[in-house]
Amino acid sequence: MITLTDCIEMCGLTEAEIDAIAEHEHLPETAAAALAAALMEKEAEGARAVAGMIRDDIRQAMARGKHAHAADLLAALRHFLAHHPEARLRP
């Protein structure tokens, strides 16, 4: 049986990054891990999509006054961008 941890490890992202995708897309974590794996196969385009989802989640958390959650999401975004520089916004 494949566990959630297995799914997360297979897509190459962290649990926090998968949680952000799940939140953005209103998906269970396993489905979010599958989506992440598919997106990350698209190299820069997919990485930018993941970063955009996390940015959207940060904006929504801030708008709802959930500053601690926004800070957690910001940490996830920073980690993601550090490991996937191709996802950085173009100037």
Side-chain angles (χ1 to χ4, degrees):
M1 174 181 260
I2 295 177
T3 67
L4 174 59
T5 302
D6 295 331
C7 292
I8 290 171
E9 289 174 0
M10 285 190 284
C11 75
L13 300 182
T14 66
E15 186 173 352
E17 293 160 351
I18 296 301
D19 287 345
I21 294 169
E23 178 180 334
H24 187 270
E25 297 297 309
H26 308 284
L27 294 171
E29 291 173 314
T30 52
L35 175 59
L39 287 171
M40 295 308 292
E41 287 182 12
K42 296 181 180 182
E43 298 178 14
E45 178 186 343
R48 282 193 293 275
V50 170
M53 289 180 199
I54 299 171
R55 285 186 187 99
D56 287 347
D57 290 345
I58 293 168
R59 284 187 206 98
Q60 289 178 5
M62 291 297 292
R64 286 184 257 143
K66 296 187 176 195
H67 303 288
H69 183 53
D72 291 341
L73 289 165
L74 181 58
L77 179 62
R78 286 182 175 151
H79 180 272
F80 182 79
L81 292 174
H83 290 85
H84 302 281
E86 70 276 15
R88 293 187 181 137
L89 296 174
R90 296 182 209 164

